[in-house]
Amino acid sequence: MVNSSSNVTVSSILKNKSSEEDEPRKKSREEWRKAKELEEARKAGTAPAAVDEEGKDINPHIPQYISSAPWYFGAKTPTLKHQRPQPEKQKQFNSIDEWYNRGVDTSHVANKYRKGACENCGAMTHKRKECMERPRKVGAKYTNSKIAPDEFTQPELSLDYDGKRDRWAGYDPAEHKAIVEEHQKIEEAKRQMRAEKLATEEEEEEEEESDEQDDNSDKDEDKYVDEVDMPGTKVDSKQRITVRNLRIREDTAKYLRNLDPNSAYYDPKTRSMRDNPYVGADTEVDYKGENFIRFSGDTQKHANAQLFAWDAHEKGVDVHLLAEPTKLELLKQEYDKKRDELKDKARDSIIERYGGEKHLEAPPKTLLLAQTEDYVEYSRYGKIIKGQDRQIVRSKYEEDVYPNNHTSVWGSYWQDGQWGYQCCRSFIKNSYCTGERNSEKKTADAAIEQDNAPPAQIFETEETNNDRSSNSEFSSDDEGAKNKKEKQSKAAKRKLKKQKQKEYRKNKKLKNSDDKLKEALRKEVEHTKKTDEFLRMDERKRPYNSMYEAKPPSAEEIEAYQMKRKHYEDPMAHFL
């Protein structure tokens, strides 16, 4: 009979064994209560704190899930070592002083070519295709001469995050010392040259007898120069120089002159303020911006002289502003003199031929613009009592011009989203004005529609009524006078009837044109909306236009397109 223990699997045996040996023993209820009381006492401060293996106190307020070490860590005493970086997992990095070697190893240079070395220079650390020397006509492999030293074997550096991004890694501070020494030598040479130049000038001044008194006074002044202690200055009485290396703190900085954020812009990188920070101020200021200083003084004269030199050089005169300034100045004076002579000569010849010299003797412009001899008297309300009002200054554009018999400008009337003329209520631009009849056509059309009869019938009924009244009036008169008056009245009525019919046709035609234009505008809006929908639609879902009817547009359709067309260059197109 088989033993029952043989049915137990190996995994269950290992599990039971590990649970018995490795897992900690479960605490009893009494031990758990005592541990809880001890934890509360430590938090209250009545019991001493727990100590780790290094003798450091453990903060009792640390949460349990942080302070308690897992069972597999194998901690016998309270510890926080499991929360710190583990030494076996820490990666070692190179120090800041370690870097790649530069240059070549000159401590050992081979005398013969070695197998596997570079065929060009003979170094063992690279091959021929990697050689950075000039290709030799005959390589070191065949000459065994001038064998190049080997490069250093570069170490494999392990750099951390900051080490990979250190811009000064591998820099030798001793390299900067050579640059400092070079600048010191240059400054010393300049100082010696300046001293020699001043010494020669002083010797020349001492030889002149006329300047002896001035020299004595200068020496007396120089006695006290070294005692001057100005902030940001360096004074030397021997060389008679004053070097200003710092801004005097009593001066107002540019960016403090106007603290308004909308004032002149100050560039801190170049320390420049081009514009005037005191724009709009009435008071006199000592600083108006660097542009004002740049174009002040003789700057304009220098620019005009440069332009004159360029023009003269283009016309064949060999002259230069910097190379020959005196020659250029003489040429410019001669040119200005001849130009003025030619102008005076031309003016005198014109006056001699046509006359009018008295008109040239006009008062200055200040008197013409500011003062006048015309007497104008005003009332206390500003109304002119005596004299002529000052003429209104008009613009350069045409004013009070109404084309096509209009009495108002285009855009003076607005209705139903359309602009028009106020005088005739017409919405067609550049149309001919029909006067007040067109503005009253709506009332006439409404009256005609109410009657439901054409104007010819209305005129006929009026004519018959007038005939009856006229017959009753002239029943007692003579037949000759009666016939004559009847003929005159009939002719006048006929003329009035034709005129009214003509006005009716004209109004009806205008009404029909307005209706057609409104219909064309409505269709144009629908077409625009439909086009926008097609553009937003996927091109694979758009309908075909195979049954589209092509016909020339009418005048109303063209006018509607022009009125609804978008002018993208118009700055107000987005606001409509």
Side-chain angles (χ1 to χ4, degrees):
M1 185 175 180
V2 182
N3 192 5
S4 62
S5 62
S6 62
N7 295 331
V8 181
T9 59
V10 178
S11 61
S12 61
I13 295 172
L14 294 175
K15 184 177 181 182
N16 294 332
K17 184 178 179 182
S18 62
S19 63
E20 292 176 358
E21 295 178 358
D22 297 337
E23 290 185 2
R25 183 178 60 85
K26 294 184 178 179
K27 295 181 180 180
S28 63
R29 187 181 299 273
E30 186 66 23
E31 292 176 349
W32 185 265
R33 185 181 60 79
K34 289 181 180 181
K36 196 69 176 176
E37 291 177 356
L38 180 60
E39 183 182 356
E40 294 295 335
R42 285 175 177 172
K43 288 184 179 179
T46 57
V51 181
D52 60 1
E53 67 275 3
E54 297 180 0
K56 298 180 180 178
D57 294 341
I58 298 176
N59 190 351
H61 299 283
I62 295 177
Q64 186 179 4
Y65 69 89
I66 293 177
S67 61
S68 61
W71 62 270
Y72 54 82
F73 192 74
K76 303 298 181 181
T77 58
T79 180
L80 292 176
K81 192 175 182 181
H82 61 281
Q83 294 291 349
R84 299 188 179 95
Q86 305 302 318
E88 62 273 6
K89 295 182 180 181
Q90 295 301 312
K91 189 177 180 181
Q92 299 296 328
F93 298 103
N94 296 97
S95 63
I96 193 173
D97 299 331
E98 297 181 10
W99 196 247
Y100 300 101
N101 297 321
R102 298 179 181 178
V104 294
D105 187 6
T106 57
S107 61
H108 176 71
V109 181
N111 297 326
K112 293 182 180 181
Y113 177 78
R114 294 159 293 180
K115 187 177 181 180
C118 177
E119 298 178 0
N120 184 42
C121 64
M124 287 290 294
T125 51
H126 62 267
K127 300 298 181 181
R128 182 174 184 177
K129 63 180 181 180
E130 301 171 356
C131 186
M132 301 300 294
E133 286 194 6
R134 180 181 60 83
R136 301 181 184 181
K137 189 175 183 180
V138 181
K141 180 179 180 180
Y142 306 101
T143 58
N144 285 329
S145 61
K146 296 182 180 179
I147 303 298
D150 300 337
E151 290 89 353
F152 287 107
T153 302
Q154 300 296 343
E156 295 183 2
L157 300 180
S158 178
L159 302 175
D160 56 352
Y161 182 85
D162 295 331
K164 291 178 181 179
R165 290 157 180 81
D166 186 8
R167 64 171 64 186
W168 296 103
Y171 177 73
D172 187 8
E175 296 179 1
H176 186 67
K177 188 176 180 180
I179 300 175
V180 175
E181 291 177 354
E182 183 180 357
H183 282 280
Q184 289 178 354
K185 290 179 182 179
I186 293 172
E187 291 295 332
E188 186 66 26
K190 288 182 179 179
R191 196 177 296 109
Q192 291 180 1
M193 292 175 62
R194 197 180 300 113
E196 292 176 358
K197 185 177 180 181
L198 289 174
T200 54
E201 290 179 356
E202 288 179 358
E203 291 178 358
E204 292 177 358
E205 289 177 358
E206 290 177 357
E207 293 178 356
E208 298 178 358
E209 296 179 355
S210 59
D211 297 338
E212 287 182 357
Q213 296 179 357
D214 297 337
D215 293 337
N216 293 331
S217 62
D218 292 341
K219 291 178 182 178
D220 295 336
E221 293 176 358
D222 293 341
K223 290 180 181 179
Y224 307 99
V225 170
D226 292 336
E227 298 177 0
V228 177
D229 188 10
M230 292 289 291
T233 57
K234 178 183 177 182
V235 182
D236 191 356
S237 61
K238 295 181 179 178
Q239 299 182 5
R240 296 183 181 179
I241 58 173
T242 302
V243 181
R244 181 173 175 179
N245 51 13
L246 291 175
R247 178 178 63 84
I248 298 177
R249 298 304 174 184
E250 286 79 4
D251 296 344
T252 304
K254 297 177 184 177
Y255 56 85
L256 295 178
R257 291 184 175 273
N258 193 346
L259 300 179
D260 186 6
N262 297 325
S263 63
Y265 174 71
Y266 174 73
D267 188 6
K269 186 174 182 180
T270 58
R271 299 180 182 178
S272 60
M273 182 180 285
R274 307 297 183 189
D275 300 331
N276 184 8
Y278 300 102
V279 175
D282 298 333
T283 58
E284 290 291 334
V285 293
D286 57 342
Y287 181 77
K288 294 185 179 180
E290 296 179 358
N291 285 337
F292 178 81
I293 300 172
R294 185 179 300 174
F295 297 105
S296 61
D298 295 336
T299 310
Q300 298 293 337
K301 294 181 180 179
H302 184 272
N304 294 332
Q306 183 66 62
L307 291 175
F308 178 77
W310 288 341
D311 294 340
H313 188 271
E314 289 180 357
K315 295 178 181 179
V317 181
D318 189 9
V319 66
H320 195 273
L321 176 62
L322 301 178
E324 298 173 326
T326 307
K327 180 180 178 181
L328 179 66
E329 185 65 24
L330 293 175
L331 287 173
K332 192 172 185 304
Q333 291 179 2
E334 185 178 358
Y335 171 78
D336 294 340
K337 184 178 179 181
K338 289 184 178 180
R339 182 188 60 190
D340 295 340
E341 290 178 357
L342 290 174
K343 283 185 178 180
D344 294 341
K345 186 177 180 181
R347 185 187 62 181
D348 294 342
S349 62
I350 292 172
I351 292 174
E352 184 179 357
R353 178 175 295 181
Y354 300 104
E357 187 176 1
K358 60 183 180 178
H359 298 290
L360 298 177
E361 299 177 358
K365 292 183 178 181
T366 55
L367 296 177
L368 290 175
L369 298 176
Q371 298 180 5
T372 178
E373 296 296 332
D374 298 335
Y375 178 76
V376 181
E377 186 176 348
Y378 295 90
S379 65
R380 61 185 299 179
Y381 302 105
K383 188 177 180 180
I384 298 177
I385 300 174
K386 186 178 181 181
Q388 188 177 2
D389 192 5
R390 183 178 296 178
Q391 187 178 3
I392 300 174
V393 179
R394 299 185 179 273
S395 64
K396 64 179 182 180
Y397 302 100
E398 293 182 350
E399 297 182 9
D400 300 335
V401 177
Y402 306 102
N404 296 333
N405 199 28
H406 287 286
T407 58
S408 60
V409 296
W410 167 259
S412 58
Y413 182 67
W414 169 266
Q415 184 180 2
D416 298 335
Q418 296 178 350
W419 294 102
Y421 294 97
Q422 180 68 28
C423 54
C424 60
R425 309 289 177 87
S426 176
F427 299 104
I428 302 174
K429 193 174 183 180
N430 296 328
S431 61
Y432 192 82
C433 183
T434 57
E436 297 180 356
R437 297 172 185 173
N438 191 19
S439 62
E440 298 174 357
K441 65 181 180 179
K442 294 184 179 179
T443 57
D445 294 341
I448 292 170
E449 289 177 358
Q450 290 177 1
D451 294 339
N452 294 324
Q457 297 179 5
I458 298 172
F459 298 150
E460 288 176 358
T461 55
E462 291 178 357
E463 184 179 357
T464 54
N465 294 330
N466 293 331
D467 292 340
R468 292 173 184 174
S469 61
S470 62
N471 291 330
S472 61
E473 288 178 1
F474 297 105
S475 60
S476 60
D477 295 338
D478 296 334
E479 293 181 358
K482 183 179 179 181
N483 295 331
K484 187 175 181 181
K485 289 183 178 180
E486 285 180 357
K487 290 180 181 179
Q488 292 177 356
S489 61
K490 286 181 179 180
K493 291 174 183 178
R494 236 181 262 112
K495 188 174 180 181
L496 182 62
K497 181 180 177 181
K498 289 181 180 180
Q499 186 176 0
K500 290 184 177 181
Q501 288 179 352
K502 188 176 180 181
E503 290 179 359
Y504 172 75
R505 295 191 193 98
K506 190 173 182 181
N507 294 333
K508 189 175 182 180
K509 187 176 180 181
L510 289 172
K511 183 180 179 182
N512 292 335
S513 63
D514 292 341
D515 295 339
K516 290 180 180 179
L517 182 59
K518 289 181 180 179
E519 182 67 19
L521 286 171
R522 185 185 63 79
K523 290 182 178 180
E524 182 65 24
V525 172
E526 292 179 356
H527 178 69
T528 305
K529 292 181 179 179
K530 194 173 182 181
T531 304
D532 295 338
E533 291 177 358
F534 283 169
L535 292 176
R536 288 192 296 267
M537 192 184 301
D538 189 3
E539 60 181 5
R540 295 173 293 183
K541 297 181 181 180
R542 292 176 187 170
Y544 293 99
N545 293 328
S546 58
M547 302 301 293
Y548 185 76
E549 183 181 0
K551 62 178 181 179
S554 61
E556 290 79 8
E557 292 176 351
I558 295 174
E559 183 67 22
Y561 171 74
Q562 294 292 341
M563 293 172 67
K564 294 294 182 181
R565 184 167 64 93
K566 291 183 179 181
H567 298 273
Y568 294 97
E569 66 275 5
D570 187 5
M572 298 297 293
H574 301 287
F575 296 94
L576 296 179

